[in-house]
Amino acid sequence: NLDIMQRLDFDALMEMLAEFRPEVIIFDPIIDLSTAEENDNVGVKKLLRTIDYIASEFDAAAILVHHTRKLSGKPGEQVTFDSIRGAGAFRGWYDTGIIIRESDGLLTVSYETRNCKAPLAHGLEFSQATGRAESVLLTEKDDGTFEIKEKSDPERLGVMMISSLPEYPLAWTRD
């Protein structure tokens, strides 16, 4: 496994990035790219500083893929930004957080931003009958769940969403 906190792995990664000069670097999943204990704020902060350094060296955006805690199964329980697994440093680090969740055939995308107003939650509703997805605008209810506010023109959302899950074929909206 690659451990970007170890000098040899870090140097190999930097060499590869120097060759390709990416504009966006995606660390997926971030916790598998380091031996940092995900509940240790000190270790996670070191990892995130390393990510910042790597991104700044190449003037690239860094995207971290991370997971939320498993839900307990209580009625009405929802995945929220408070559900991010591990150290609080993860949530404190990002400028924009995105949570993607699925419930009853509706793939919901919601945002949390530090420096601007977050985009409205939106989603894709899949029809097993047609095998097609229809984009929808959502509204968040008081209990943290979402309901469909309106069906929308896919071109209006300006977001591309790709699912590799077999039950959700490639689905997209575009700029």
Side-chain angles (χ1 to χ4, degrees):
N1 280 358
L2 179 69
D3 182 352
I4 63 172
M5 300 299 290
Q6 299 299 315
R7 186 45 134 196
L8 288 176
D9 288 347
F10 175 84
D11 289 345
L13 175 63
M14 294 299 280
E15 187 176 309
M16 181 183 69
L17 292 171
E19 180 180 343
F20 290 101
R21 308 289 309 169
E23 294 179 6
V24 177
I25 306 167
I26 302 172
F27 299 88
D28 180 9
I30 185 57
I31 209 60
D32 286 350
L33 300 175
S34 169
T35 54
E37 166 56 46
E38 76 176 340
N39 292 309
D40 174 25
N41 265 317
V42 173
V44 168
K45 283 181 182 179
K46 287 179 185 176
L47 172 61
L48 295 173
R49 280 196 300 272
T50 300
I51 299 294
D52 283 336
Y53 176 81
I54 292 168
S56 69
E57 281 298 299
F58 296 99
D59 195 26
I63 297 175
L64 308 186
V65 177
H66 193 50
H67 298 276
T68 57
R69 295 185 301 271
K70 299 229 185 284
L71 298 179
S72 67
K74 295 177 185 172
E77 185 178 29
Q78 295 291 314
V79 173
T80 67
F81 288 96
D82 290 330
S83 306
I84 294 172
R85 198 170 76 188
F90 284 116
R91 191 168 181 197
W93 176 82
Y94 63 75
D95 291 322
T96 301
I98 302 171
I99 288 184
I100 302 172
R101 58 185 166 254
E102 187 274 334
S103 178
D104 300 324
L106 181 65
L107 191 62
T108 305
V109 182
S110 53
Y111 303 87
E112 179 178 71
T113 57
R114 180 187 329 254
N115 300 315
C116 63
K117 184 178 176 186
L120 294 174
H122 57 87
L124 292 174
E125 185 176 42
F126 292 91
S127 166
Q128 295 295 336
T130 66
R132 299 187 72 143
E134 189 170 323
S135 62
V136 294
L137 294 177
L138 306 172
T139 185
E140 188 169 4
K141 299 190 294 188
D142 291 338
D143 65 359
T145 62
F146 290 90
E147 64 184 6
I148 296 175
K149 180 178 178 180
E150 66 181 88
K151 306 246 181 200
S152 64
D153 176 356
E155 294 186 18
R156 214 174 88 195
L157 289 178
V159 174
M160 183 169 189
M161 297 175 59
I162 302 171
S163 172
S164 61
L165 299 174
E167 62 268 28
Y168 300 120
L170 177 68
W172 62 279
T173 63
R174 63 185 172 91
D175 289 330

